[in-house]
């Protein structure tokens, strides 16, 4: 059996970074992925895909990417359900990311390096190369 998802899209909002009670980082994010064809009006529609990533990859995503940033996601599709506050069963389908590749510099492709500095005056390690990073197996949630 195979459950593999590979997506390239843009973040629709800043990633939502949180921590479990045990201190494990988890980031929820949504990416807009253009469809490979146009609709009847000649416009290209997009699908909005909910994703989740864990541990250091979650922290890296939240620290270096923001709304509009282009990312590549490699992971698996997962379905789950839970009872909401009203007691109603809610079904969720999302991509659990094994890795997230940063396809742009911080600043959504800005060529001005002064915009590519992280807060606190620290240098952004992506400012000069602009190349994707590899996430190691240590960053995976399983």
């Amino acid at each position: 059996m195979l459950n593999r998802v590979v997506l390239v899209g843009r973040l629709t909002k800043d990633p939502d970074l949180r921590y479990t009670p045990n201190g494990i980082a988890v980031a929820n994010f949504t990416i807009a992925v253009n469809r490979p064809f146009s609709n009847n009006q000649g416009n290209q529609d997009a699908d909005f895909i909910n994703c989740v990533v864990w541990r250091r990859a979650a922290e890296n995503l939240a620290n270096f990417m923001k709304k509009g940033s282009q990312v590549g996601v490699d992971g698996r599709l997962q379905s789950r359900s839970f009872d909401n506050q009203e007691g109603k069963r809610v079904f969720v389908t999302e991509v659990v990311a094994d890795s997230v590749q940063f396809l742009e510099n911080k600043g959504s492709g800005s060529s001005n390096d002064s915009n590519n500095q992280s807060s606190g005056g620290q240098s952004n390690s992506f400012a000069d190369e602009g190349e994707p990073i590899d996430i190691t197996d240590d960053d995976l949630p399983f």
Side-chain angles (χ1 to χ4, degrees), residues 84-141:
N84 67 10
Q85 292 177 347
E86 292 82 34
K88 194 172 188 180
R89 176 70 84 196
V90 177
F91 294 92
V92 177
T93 301
E94 61 196 354
V95 173
V96 177
D98 294 331
S99 68
V100 178
Q101 299 291 315
F102 303 163
L103 302 179
E104 293 185 318
N105 286 345
K106 184 177 178 183
S108 297
S110 170
S111 61
N112 185 349
D113 283 347
S114 66
N115 290 336
N116 291 327
Q117 298 294 317
S118 61
S119 61
Q122 297 175 345
S123 176
N124 178 358
S125 62
F126 299 106
D128 296 323
E129 286 98 28
E131 300 203 10
I133 65 166
D134 289 327
I135 304 298
T136 66
D137 288 343
D138 294 337
D139 296 323
L140 300 177

Side-chain angles (χ1 to χ4, degrees), residues 2-5 7 26-28 49-54 73-82 90-98 141-142:
L2 180 67
N3 180 354
R4 196 99 221 116
V5 176
L7 303 167
V26 57
N28 293 85
I49 313 290
N50 293 324
C51 303
V52 62
V53 64
W54 292 85
V73 176
D74 182 14
R76 60 186 167 82
L77 200 58
Q78 175 178 284
S79 297
R80 59 186 172 89
S81 63
F82 62 92
V90 177
F91 294 92
V92 177
T93 301
E94 61 196 354
V95 173
V96 177
D98 294 331
F142 47 89

